[in-house]
Amino acid sequence: MDENQKTHNIELDQDFQVSVEELFKAWTEADHLKEWWHPMDDSLEDVKNELQEGGAVEYHFAGRKFDVKGNYKEVKPNEKLVYTWDWEFEENLKNESFVLTITFESNESGSRLHVKQEGFRDEQAVGPHEEAWKKGLEDLKAHLEKSSSSVSDSVKSDEGMNDRSGGYNELPEQAKVGGA
């Protein structure tokens, strides 16, 4: 095969201490994506995510230097997503087209995400994208840990009220019993 026709890929795995369902939501829902995904330090402004075969996936950024657009080829909620991943730049940069395959798996610690990005024309292009994915996955992990801890913090604060009447702050001997 000619070197010009050869494609190079990125494959990365990351473990998370959340369920596959939580991981899938963080990967696909706009509110989550806006919290953790900041390629080239830009903020995600708008997301279109039609989770069905042929559905659109679009990410628009505040800086408007680029957009990411594509279409889903395969959608298996909480299991697998395959979609085109086209970077469209406004400046004089060359637009790039890739295919992403994202798999979600349960494991003993929670879940594992596997990212495969296909379509690089040369090895030099792989490095910057691989570093960006590593940063993105670490940011996703931090987001999920923050989200998970705020849920457990609110559960803990509710636990202190279990011995109180209706969640109010009366002492047990002050709690009213009956309807009088």
Side-chain angles (χ1 to χ4, degrees), residues 10-12 117 120 125-135:
I10 293 173
E11 291 197 56
L12 297 169
Q117 183 175 357
F120 294 96
V126 171
H129 286 264
E130 189 168 30
E131 289 306 311
W133 275 118
K134 287 177 184 177
K135 181 187 180 315

Side-chain angles (χ1 to χ4, degrees), residues 30-170:
D31 289 343
H32 285 284
L33 285 161
K34 289 176 182 180
E35 289 290 321
W36 69 266
W37 197 50
H38 305 283
M40 297 189 279
D41 295 323
D42 208 343
S43 297
L44 189 56
E45 188 173 78
D46 189 38
V47 175
K48 182 177 186 179
N49 218 354
E50 300 171 339
L51 288 169
Q52 62 190 19
E53 287 186 27
V57 55
E58 296 182 11
Y59 302 105
H60 303 280
F61 295 88
R64 293 290 182 199
K65 296 175 188 167
F66 63 96
D67 290 322
V68 178
K69 297 179 181 179
N71 292 92
Y72 284 103
K73 295 179 170 191
E74 184 177 350
V75 176
K76 292 181 181 174
N78 303 318
E79 291 179 34
K80 185 178 185 180
L81 298 171
V82 179
Y83 49 105
T84 56
W85 185 249
D86 302 330
W87 287 72
E88 299 176 357
F89 294 96
E90 287 186 3
E91 296 177 9
N92 294 330
L93 297 172
K94 184 179 178 188
N95 293 343
E96 299 178 288
S97 296
F98 305 98
V99 173
L100 281 185
T101 302
I102 311 299
T103 54
F104 305 82
E105 300 172 10
S106 292
N107 65 20
E108 57 281 345
S109 67
S111 56
R112 171 173 282 182
L113 182 77
H114 179 80
V115 175
K116 181 177 183 181
Q117 183 175 357
E118 302 174 78
F120 294 96
R121 290 281 172 209
D122 59 55
E123 194 65 37
Q124 290 177 327
V126 171
H129 286 264
E130 189 168 30
E131 289 306 311
W133 275 118
K134 287 177 184 177
K135 181 187 180 315
L137 294 179
E138 284 301 317
D139 290 348
L140 173 57
K141 189 173 193 168
H143 167 70
L144 287 169
E145 287 172 358
K146 182 179 83 174
S147 296
S148 178
S149 70
S150 32
V151 167
S152 63
D153 287 348
S154 67
V155 168
K156 285 178 189 171
S157 67
D158 289 345
E159 287 172 358
M161 294 186 169
N162 287 343
D163 63 343
R164 308 294 172 119
S165 173
Y168 296 104
N169 289 327
E170 297 105 352

